[in-house]
């Protein structure tokens, strides 16, 4: 299953991370921010393998590290070139569930991920379901 990791790959377990002893939350926040940046960078890496991108996707979701439109768009855009269009759609759904507005850029990233995998039907469904504010002006029905 996609959830299984090879033993050599470090895993991110929110419940099992070591707790700091008396330290501030700033160090913890910086650690999470560094982890998120590293995972998003891996997704954007053109040399990264599909399996590496899938692991990054799992870590980002399990750690709830994506919090705004920029994060979700970056992750979705990184999944597209690796033909991980289904994972891109999962993140698009996650974005809505955490209250991130579905804007034109976020929708375009998800549509592009579907296009790169030749999943035109899925791309059209995204366009149809997107709010009018997320659609390019020439595609809005008047």
């Amino acid at each position: 299953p996609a959830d299984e990791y090879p033993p050599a790959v470090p895993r991110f377990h929110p419940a099992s991370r070591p707790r700091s002893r008396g330290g501030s939350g700033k160090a913890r926040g910086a650690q999470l921010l560094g982890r998120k940046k590293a995972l998003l960078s891996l997704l954007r890496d053109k040399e990264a393998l599909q399996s590496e991108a899938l692991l990054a996707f799992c870590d980002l979701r399990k750690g709830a590290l994506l919090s705004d439109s920029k994060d979700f768009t970056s992750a979705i855009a990184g999944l597209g070139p690796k033909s991980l269009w289904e994972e891109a759609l999962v993140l698009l759904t996650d974005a809505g569930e955490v209250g991130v507005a579905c804007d034109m850029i976020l929708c375009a990233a998800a549509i592009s991920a579907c296009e790169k995998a030749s999943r035109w039907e899925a791309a059209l469904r995204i366009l149809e379901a997107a709010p009018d504010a997320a659609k390019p002006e020439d595609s809005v029905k008047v």
Side-chain angles (χ1 to χ4, degrees):
D3 254 2
E4 293 182 10
Y5 291 77
V9 177
R11 292 187 69 177
F12 179 72
H13 295 286
S16 65
R17 284 184 294 229
R19 307 231 183 252
S20 61
R21 298 175 197 254
S24 72
K26 287 184 181 182
R28 174 115 172 91
Q31 182 183 26
L32 289 175
L33 180 62
R35 179 76 176 157
K36 175 174 72 173
K37 285 183 178 182
L39 291 168
L40 289 173
S41 178
L42 188 146
L43 284 178
R44 291 187 306 268
D45 183 354
K46 293 181 184 198
E47 302 296 318
L49 301 174
Q50 185 184 51
S51 59
E52 293 171 321
L54 192 55
L55 293 175
F57 160 79
C58 291
D59 275 358
L60 286 166
R61 284 196 80 219
K62 285 183 180 180
L65 298 176
L66 303 176
S67 59
D68 59 24
S69 183
K70 183 179 175 184
D71 290 346
F72 279 100
T73 300
S74 181
I76 289 169
L79 292 167
K82 301 187 178 53
S83 295
L84 295 172
W85 66 279
E86 291 173 303
E87 288 75 10
L89 295 183
V90 167
L91 290 184
L92 185 61
T93 301
D94 288 353
E97 289 175 357
V98 298
V100 172
C102 184
D103 61 16
M104 187 183 333
I105 298 169
L106 184 60
C107 284
I111 290 168
S112 178
C114 293
E115 175 266 325
K116 286 180 172 106
S118 297
R119 298 298 180 161
W120 299 106
E121 300 84 13
L124 288 173
R125 281 195 306 268
I126 294 168
L127 188 57
E128 289 170 355
D132 286 344
K135 296 177 184 176
E137 284 186 36
D138 61 356
S139 72
V140 176
K141 295 180 183 175
V142 184

